[in-house]
């Protein structure tokens, strides 16, 4: 058994509503879709690298290059088809974790479909549904933010995460809390603060946040550790949590009490599970972050989030929160319990619509 052909495509899909973080405002996603083919089965993977190197240094273009010139030739030359084998063979290459993750995910989907099992089963998942939260971007005004939160709460989301940045932090949290004293609320700074902001950040304790996500730079652990000693709110690492080795250091330095796992950021499911297992052994809860993926990448996230230590609500929301028309049919929907069901069919267990993929495709190349 071998991979016969791999298709790489660059897609562009507009969001239903702009998404603004401390990095800036985005109106849509440009990303790579990977399809791997073997014996009549197709495995799908989504690369979460964005157009610009803001969240991480990777971009759609660097991922394309690494896939085309390094990872795909390796898969064909070595006859790789097993995700474990791919992981082992690519460990020696530094970085480019999102590019690696996209291909590893496609191999996982292929493997699970070949074995007739849902990915969650293959991963050792234990949940039938995962708890769903929503990540709310920075808006033009506070009333607009409050309206947006209201409409998500009406839809049934279990927790709200708000993006913060200097100038859009204390006041935003205060107004939300005033209106929703019991809401499960957390804030994500996307690395927008500096160590000099510790006094300001300590004021967030007043709002009883479930966590404060990534206040400082993605390459930092030390300043997070300094802040965690002074702030009551639990710090959660996103950008800094790039590997199991780094998470161990964060744990030992007490830089955080929670980890956001994103399969793209850590380079695949194998690394994501190492982080999950380490945190579980240490009694540190994790949850699954998102990169505004389409239904394909989101399905992969749902299966990962079915693992037992994903104890907090995830940034895995319904399709209509992201796109007017998702790439999969049926779309991902929220249950009345504010959860999302883990698909039970083989592989990702969702159905990409080829015609929608084609319509969103800017560029496509096939390799064999
Ligand atoms: O920091 O979690 C983040 C989206 C793009 C880049 C970084 C982040 C995000 C989100 C989106 O918060 C969460 C989602 O996919 O629903
Ligand atoms: Mg984040």
């Amino acid at each position: 058994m071998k991979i016969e052909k791999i298709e790489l495509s660059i897609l562009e899909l507009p969001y239903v509503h702009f998404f603004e973080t401390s990095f800036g405002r985005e109106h849509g996603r440009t990303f790579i879709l990977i399809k791997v083919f073997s014996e009549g089965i197709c495995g799908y993977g989504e690369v979460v690298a964005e157009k610009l190197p803001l969240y991480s240094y990777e971009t759609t273009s660097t991922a394309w290059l690494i896939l085309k010139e390094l990872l795909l030739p390796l898969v064909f030359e070595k006859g790789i088809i097993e995700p474990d084998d791919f992981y082992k063979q690519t460990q020696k290459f530094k970085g480019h974790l999102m590019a690696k993750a996209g291909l590893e995910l496609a191999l996982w989907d292929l493997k699970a479909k070949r074995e007739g099992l849902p990915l969650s089963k293959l991963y050792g998942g234990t949940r039938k549904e995962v708890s769903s939260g929503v990540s709310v971007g920075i808006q033009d005004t506070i009333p607009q933010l409050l309206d947006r939160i209201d409409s998500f709460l009406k839809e049934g989301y279990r927790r709200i995460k708000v993006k913060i940045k200097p100038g859009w932090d204390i006041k935003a949290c205060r107004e939300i809390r005033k209106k929703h004293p019991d809401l499960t609320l957390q804030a994500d700074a996307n690395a927008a603060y500096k160590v000099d902001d510790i006094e300001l950040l300590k004021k967030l304790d007043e709002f009883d946040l479930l966590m404060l996500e990534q206040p400082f730079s993605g390459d930092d652990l030390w300043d997070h550790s300094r802040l965690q000693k002074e702030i009551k709110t639990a710090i959660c690492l996103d950008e800094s949590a790039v590997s199991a080795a780094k998470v161990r250091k964060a744990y030992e330095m007490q830089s955080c009490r929670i980890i956001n796992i994103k399969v793209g950021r850590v380079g695949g499911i194998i690394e994501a599970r190492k982080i999950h297992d380490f945190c579980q052994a240490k009694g540190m809860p994790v949850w699954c972050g998102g990169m505004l993926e389409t239904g394909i990448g989101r399905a992969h996230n749902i299966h990962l989030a079915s693992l037992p230590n994903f104890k907090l609500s995830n940034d895995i929301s319904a399709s209509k929160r992201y796109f007017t028309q998702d790439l999969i049919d049926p779309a991902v929907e929220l249950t009345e319990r504010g959860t999302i069901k883990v698909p039970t069919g083989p592989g990702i267990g969702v159905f990409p619509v080829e015609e929608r993929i084609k319509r969103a495709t800017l560029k496509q190349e096939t390799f064999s």
Side-chain angles (χ1 to χ4, degrees), residues 16-17 26 30 59 76 96 108 134 171 196 236 238 271 278-280 300 317 329 341:
V16 285
H17 183 90
E26 296 290 341
T30 308
T59 68
F76 292 123
H96 301 286
W108 276 111
V134 65
K171 182 145 184 280
D196 297 340
C236 168
D238 174 353
E271 194 68 25
F278 173 83
C279 291
Q280 187 172 34
H300 277 292
S317 314
D329 189 43
K341 287 187 182 145

PDB file of all heavy atoms in Angstrom, residues 16-17 26 30 59 76 96 108 134 171 196 236 238 271 278-280 300 317 329 341:
ATOM      1  N   VAL A  16     -18.250  35.130   7.536  1.00  0.00           N
ATOM      2  CA  VAL A  16     -19.547  35.820   7.623  1.00  0.00           C
ATOM      3  C   VAL A  16     -19.405  37.178   8.300  1.00  0.00           C
ATOM      4  O   VAL A  16     -20.152  38.109   8.024  1.00  0.00           O
ATOM      5  CB  VAL A  16     -20.622  35.004   8.397  1.00  0.00           C
ATOM      6  CG1 VAL A  16     -21.149  33.871   7.559  1.00  0.00           C
ATOM      7  CG2 VAL A  16     -20.095  34.484   9.715  1.00  0.00           C
ATOM      8  N   HIS A  17     -18.415  37.299   9.209  1.00  0.00           N
ATOM      9  CA  HIS A  17     -18.189  38.545   9.934  1.00  0.00           C
ATOM     10  C   HIS A  17     -16.675  38.667  10.069  1.00  0.00           C
ATOM     11  O   HIS A  17     -16.007  37.662  10.280  1.00  0.00           O
ATOM     12  CB  HIS A  17     -18.848  38.434  11.319  1.00  0.00           C
ATOM     13  CG  HIS A  17     -18.755  39.668  12.156  1.00  0.00           C
ATOM     14  ND1 HIS A  17     -19.728  40.661  12.122  1.00  0.00           N
ATOM     15  CD2 HIS A  17     -17.835  40.095  13.049  1.00  0.00           C
ATOM     16  CE1 HIS A  17     -19.397  41.628  12.965  1.00  0.00           C
ATOM     17  NE2 HIS A  17     -18.246  41.312  13.545  1.00  0.00           N
ATOM     18  N   GLU A  26      -9.259  40.471   9.848  1.00  0.00           N
ATOM     19  CA  GLU A  26      -9.260  39.597   8.672  1.00  0.00           C
ATOM     20  C   GLU A  26     -10.690  39.410   8.188  1.00  0.00           C
ATOM     21  O   GLU A  26     -11.605  39.270   8.997  1.00  0.00           O
ATOM     22  CB  GLU A  26      -8.677  38.223   9.019  1.00  0.00           C
ATOM     23  CG  GLU A  26      -7.208  38.227   9.425  1.00  0.00           C
ATOM     24  CD  GLU A  26      -6.260  38.527   8.283  1.00  0.00           C
ATOM     25  OE1 GLU A  26      -6.675  38.383   7.115  1.00  0.00           O
ATOM     26  OE2 GLU A  26      -5.106  38.913   8.565  1.00  0.00           O
ATOM     27  N   THR A  30      -7.201  32.318   3.711  1.00  0.00           N
ATOM     28  CA  THR A  30      -6.476  31.743   2.587  1.00  0.00           C
ATOM     29  C   THR A  30      -5.674  30.591   3.178  1.00  0.00           C
ATOM     30  O   THR A  30      -4.899  30.807   4.107  1.00  0.00           O
ATOM     31  CB  THR A  30      -5.521  32.780   1.968  1.00  0.00           C
ATOM     32  OG1 THR A  30      -6.273  33.956   1.696  1.00  0.00           O
ATOM     33  CG2 THR A  30      -4.887  32.269   0.700  1.00  0.00           C
ATOM     34  N   THR A  59       3.445  30.871   6.764  1.00  0.00           N
ATOM     35  CA  THR A  59       2.420  31.488   5.920  1.00  0.00           C
ATOM     36  C   THR A  59       1.925  30.424   4.932  1.00  0.00           C
ATOM     37  O   THR A  59       2.535  29.346   4.800  1.00  0.00           O
ATOM     38  CB  THR A  59       2.972  32.673   5.096  1.00  0.00           C
ATOM     39  OG1 THR A  59       3.895  32.164   4.130  1.00  0.00           O
ATOM     40  CG2 THR A  59       3.676  33.695   5.984  1.00  0.00           C
ATOM     41  N   PHE A  76       6.785  10.258  -1.080  1.00  0.00           N
ATOM     42  CA  PHE A  76       6.866   9.390  -2.263  1.00  0.00           C
ATOM     43  C   PHE A  76       8.155   8.560  -2.262  1.00  0.00           C
ATOM     44  O   PHE A  76       8.125   7.364  -2.537  1.00  0.00           O
ATOM     45  CB  PHE A  76       6.758  10.219  -3.546  1.00  0.00           C
ATOM     46  CG  PHE A  76       5.386  10.820  -3.740  1.00  0.00           C
ATOM     47  CD1 PHE A  76       5.212  12.188  -3.875  1.00  0.00           C
ATOM     48  CD2 PHE A  76       4.260  10.000  -3.783  1.00  0.00           C
ATOM     49  CE1 PHE A  76       3.940  12.730  -4.055  1.00  0.00           C
ATOM     50  CE2 PHE A  76       2.980  10.536  -3.959  1.00  0.00           C
ATOM     51  CZ  PHE A  76       2.831  11.919  -4.088  1.00  0.00           C
ATOM     52  N   HIS A  96       8.252  24.554  10.737  1.00  0.00           N
ATOM     53  CA  HIS A  96       7.225  24.318   9.707  1.00  0.00           C
ATOM     54  C   HIS A  96       6.165  23.326  10.180  1.00  0.00           C
ATOM     55  O   HIS A  96       5.776  22.410   9.461  1.00  0.00           O
ATOM     56  CB  HIS A  96       7.884  23.886   8.384  1.00  0.00           C
ATOM     57  CG  HIS A  96       8.831  24.931   7.882  1.00  0.00           C
ATOM     58  ND1 HIS A  96       8.394  26.107   7.312  1.00  0.00           N
ATOM     59  CD2 HIS A  96      10.183  25.029   7.966  1.00  0.00           C
ATOM     60  CE1 HIS A  96       9.439  26.860   7.033  1.00  0.00           C
ATOM     61  NE2 HIS A  96      10.539  26.250   7.427  1.00  0.00           N
ATOM     62  N   TRP A 108      -3.749  10.618   8.588  1.00  0.00           N
ATOM     63  CA  TRP A 108      -4.617  10.053   9.634  1.00  0.00           C
ATOM     64  C   TRP A 108      -6.012   9.766   9.077  1.00  0.00           C
ATOM     65  O   TRP A 108      -6.609   8.728   9.355  1.00  0.00           O
ATOM     66  CB  TRP A 108      -4.733  11.019  10.823  1.00  0.00           C
ATOM     67  CG  TRP A 108      -3.613  10.914  11.796  1.00  0.00           C
ATOM     68  CD1 TRP A 108      -2.631  11.847  12.024  1.00  0.00           C
ATOM     69  CD2 TRP A 108      -3.357   9.833  12.702  1.00  0.00           C
ATOM     70  NE1 TRP A 108      -1.774  11.405  13.010  1.00  0.00           N
ATOM     71  CE2 TRP A 108      -2.195  10.188  13.445  1.00  0.00           C
ATOM     72  CE3 TRP A 108      -3.977   8.616  12.957  1.00  0.00           C
ATOM     73  CZ2 TRP A 108      -1.651   9.351  14.424  1.00  0.00           C
ATOM     74  CZ3 TRP A 108      -3.432   7.782  13.945  1.00  0.00           C
ATOM     75  CH2 TRP A 108      -2.281   8.147  14.657  1.00  0.00           C
ATOM     76  N   VAL A 134     -17.134  29.921  21.909  1.00  0.00           N
ATOM     77  CA  VAL A 134     -16.954  30.735  20.717  1.00  0.00           C
ATOM     78  C   VAL A 134     -15.962  31.854  21.016  1.00  0.00           C
ATOM     79  O   VAL A 134     -15.914  32.384  22.121  1.00  0.00           O
ATOM     80  CB  VAL A 134     -18.312  31.261  20.190  1.00  0.00           C
ATOM     81  CG1 VAL A 134     -18.961  32.213  21.157  1.00  0.00           C
ATOM     82  CG2 VAL A 134     -18.171  31.903  18.814  1.00  0.00           C
ATOM     83  N   LYS A 171     -11.962  47.658  30.092  1.00  0.00           N
ATOM     84  CA  LYS A 171     -13.309  48.204  29.885  1.00  0.00           C
ATOM     85  C   LYS A 171     -14.224  47.159  29.238  1.00  0.00           C
ATOM     86  O   LYS A 171     -15.373  46.971  29.656  1.00  0.00           O
ATOM     87  CB  LYS A 171     -13.230  49.462  29.007  1.00  0.00           C
ATOM     88  CG  LYS A 171     -14.556  50.126  28.762  1.00  0.00           C
ATOM     89  CD  LYS A 171     -14.447  51.652  28.690  1.00  0.00           C
ATOM     90  CE  LYS A 171     -15.824  52.286  28.540  1.00  0.00           C
ATOM     91  NZ  LYS A 171     -16.305  52.222  27.143  1.00  0.00           N
ATOM     92  N   ASP A 196       6.125  44.884  31.213  1.00  0.00           N
ATOM     93  CA  ASP A 196       5.771  46.137  31.911  1.00  0.00           C
ATOM     94  C   ASP A 196       4.276  46.280  32.148  1.00  0.00           C
ATOM     95  O   ASP A 196       3.853  47.185  32.869  1.00  0.00           O
ATOM     96  CB  ASP A 196       6.217  47.358  31.084  1.00  0.00           C
ATOM     97  CG  ASP A 196       7.718  47.405  30.914  1.00  0.00           C
ATOM     98  OD1 ASP A 196       8.422  46.760  31.719  1.00  0.00           O
ATOM     99  OD2 ASP A 196       8.180  48.066  29.961  1.00  0.00           O
ATOM    100  N   CYS A 236      -3.280  30.647  30.310  1.00  0.00           N
ATOM    101  CA  CYS A 236      -3.318  29.543  29.349  1.00  0.00           C
ATOM    102  C   CYS A 236      -2.357  29.898  28.231  1.00  0.00           C
ATOM    103  O   CYS A 236      -2.367  31.017  27.735  1.00  0.00           O
ATOM    104  CB  CYS A 236      -4.732  29.405  28.786  1.00  0.00           C
ATOM    105  SG  CYS A 236      -4.825  28.305  27.358  1.00  0.00           S
ATOM    106  N   ASP A 238      -1.074  29.544  24.393  1.00  0.00           N
ATOM    107  CA  ASP A 238      -1.432  29.166  23.022  1.00  0.00           C
ATOM    108  C   ASP A 238      -0.148  29.228  22.190  1.00  0.00           C
ATOM    109  O   ASP A 238       0.563  28.216  22.062  1.00  0.00           O
ATOM    110  CB  ASP A 238      -2.531  30.118  22.502  1.00  0.00           C
ATOM    111  CG  ASP A 238      -2.893  29.907  21.033  1.00  0.00           C
ATOM    112  OD1 ASP A 238      -2.225  29.127  20.353  1.00  0.00           O
ATOM    113  OD2 ASP A 238      -3.854  30.542  20.548  1.00  0.00           O
ATOM    114  N   GLU A 271       2.186  14.779  18.222  1.00  0.00           N
ATOM    115  CA  GLU A 271       2.696  15.746  19.191  1.00  0.00           C
ATOM    116  C   GLU A 271       1.558  16.258  20.084  1.00  0.00           C
ATOM    117  O   GLU A 271       1.740  16.428  21.300  1.00  0.00           O
ATOM    118  CB  GLU A 271       3.363  16.917  18.454  1.00  0.00           C
ATOM    119  CG  GLU A 271       4.219  17.805  19.336  1.00  0.00           C
ATOM    120  CD  GLU A 271       5.488  17.130  19.856  1.00  0.00           C
ATOM    121  OE1 GLU A 271       5.980  16.177  19.218  1.00  0.00           O
ATOM    122  OE2 GLU A 271       5.975  17.560  20.928  1.00  0.00           O
ATOM    123  N   PHE A 278       0.843  14.392  28.712  1.00  0.00           N
ATOM    124  CA  PHE A 278       1.669  15.014  29.747  1.00  0.00           C
ATOM    125  C   PHE A 278       0.790  15.828  30.695  1.00  0.00           C
ATOM    126  O   PHE A 278       0.897  15.701  31.925  1.00  0.00           O
ATOM    127  CB  PHE A 278       2.741  15.929  29.107  1.00  0.00           C
ATOM    128  CG  PHE A 278       3.502  16.730  30.121  1.00  0.00           C
ATOM    129  CD1 PHE A 278       4.579  16.173  30.802  1.00  0.00           C
ATOM    130  CD2 PHE A 278       3.118  18.037  30.416  1.00  0.00           C
ATOM    131  CE1 PHE A 278       5.267  16.911  31.765  1.00  0.00           C
ATOM    132  CE2 PHE A 278       3.802  18.779  31.380  1.00  0.00           C
ATOM    133  CZ  PHE A 278       4.872  18.209  32.052  1.00  0.00           C
ATOM    134  N   CYS A 279      -0.074  16.660  30.112  1.00  0.00           N
ATOM    135  CA  CYS A 279      -0.925  17.525  30.938  1.00  0.00           C
ATOM    136  C   CYS A 279      -1.867  16.692  31.803  1.00  0.00           C
ATOM    137  O   CYS A 279      -2.083  16.992  32.976  1.00  0.00           O
ATOM    138  CB  CYS A 279      -1.727  18.494  30.067  1.00  0.00           C
ATOM    139  SG  CYS A 279      -0.693  19.741  29.277  1.00  0.00           S
ATOM    140  N   GLN A 280      -2.392  15.627  31.224  1.00  0.00           N
ATOM    141  CA  GLN A 280      -3.287  14.752  31.988  1.00  0.00           C
ATOM    142  C   GLN A 280      -2.559  14.168  33.198  1.00  0.00           C
ATOM    143  O   GLN A 280      -3.090  14.168  34.305  1.00  0.00           O
ATOM    144  CB  GLN A 280      -3.794  13.627  31.079  1.00  0.00           C
ATOM    145  CG  GLN A 280      -4.860  12.767  31.720  1.00  0.00           C
ATOM    146  CD  GLN A 280      -5.475  11.791  30.725  1.00  0.00           C
ATOM    147  OE1 GLN A 280      -4.799  11.289  29.823  1.00  0.00           O
ATOM    148  NE2 GLN A 280      -6.752  11.540  30.877  1.00  0.00           N
ATOM    149  N   HIS A 300     -11.300  17.518  12.118  1.00  0.00           N
ATOM    150  CA  HIS A 300     -10.079  16.976  12.736  1.00  0.00           C
ATOM    151  C   HIS A 300      -9.979  17.440  14.194  1.00  0.00           C
ATOM    152  O   HIS A 300      -9.631  16.658  15.078  1.00  0.00           O
ATOM    153  CB  HIS A 300      -8.844  17.450  11.952  1.00  0.00           C
ATOM    154  CG  HIS A 300      -8.532  16.620  10.738  1.00  0.00           C
ATOM    155  ND1 HIS A 300      -8.091  15.327  10.823  1.00  0.00           N
ATOM    156  CD2 HIS A 300      -8.569  16.909   9.413  1.00  0.00           C
ATOM    157  CE1 HIS A 300      -7.864  14.842   9.596  1.00  0.00           C
ATOM    158  NE2 HIS A 300      -8.156  15.794   8.728  1.00  0.00           N
ATOM    159  N   SER A 317     -16.689  25.802  16.961  1.00  0.00           N
ATOM    160  CA  SER A 317     -18.045  26.343  16.882  1.00  0.00           C
ATOM    161  C   SER A 317     -18.743  25.816  15.634  1.00  0.00           C
ATOM    162  O   SER A 317     -18.142  25.123  14.813  1.00  0.00           O
ATOM    163  CB  SER A 317     -17.990  27.880  16.867  1.00  0.00           C
ATOM    164  OG  SER A 317     -17.092  28.357  17.862  1.00  0.00           O
ATOM    165  N   ASP A 329     -20.920  19.133   3.925  1.00  0.00           N
ATOM    166  CA  ASP A 329     -22.370  19.035   3.990  1.00  0.00           C
ATOM    167  C   ASP A 329     -22.721  17.665   4.548  1.00  0.00           C
ATOM    168  O   ASP A 329     -22.278  16.658   4.019  1.00  0.00           O
ATOM    169  CB  ASP A 329     -22.973  19.219   2.588  1.00  0.00           C
ATOM    170  CG  ASP A 329     -24.487  19.338   2.640  1.00  0.00           C
ATOM    171  OD1 ASP A 329     -24.976  20.047   3.534  1.00  0.00           O
ATOM    172  OD2 ASP A 329     -25.164  18.699   1.802  1.00  0.00           O
ATOM    173  N   LYS A 341     -21.351  17.153  18.245  1.00  0.00           N
ATOM    174  CA  LYS A 341     -21.228  15.694  18.236  1.00  0.00           C
ATOM    175  C   LYS A 341     -19.969  15.258  17.494  1.00  0.00           C
ATOM    176  O   LYS A 341     -19.642  15.813  16.445  1.00  0.00           O
ATOM    177  CB  LYS A 341     -22.451  15.080  17.565  1.00  0.00           C
ATOM    178  CG  LYS A 341     -23.687  15.165  18.441  1.00  0.00           C
ATOM    179  CD  LYS A 341     -24.849  14.392  17.834  1.00  0.00           C
ATOM    180  CE  LYS A 341     -26.073  14.554  18.723  1.00  0.00           C
ATOM    181  NZ  LYS A 341     -27.321  14.605  17.942  1.00  0.00           N
TER     182      LYS A 341
END
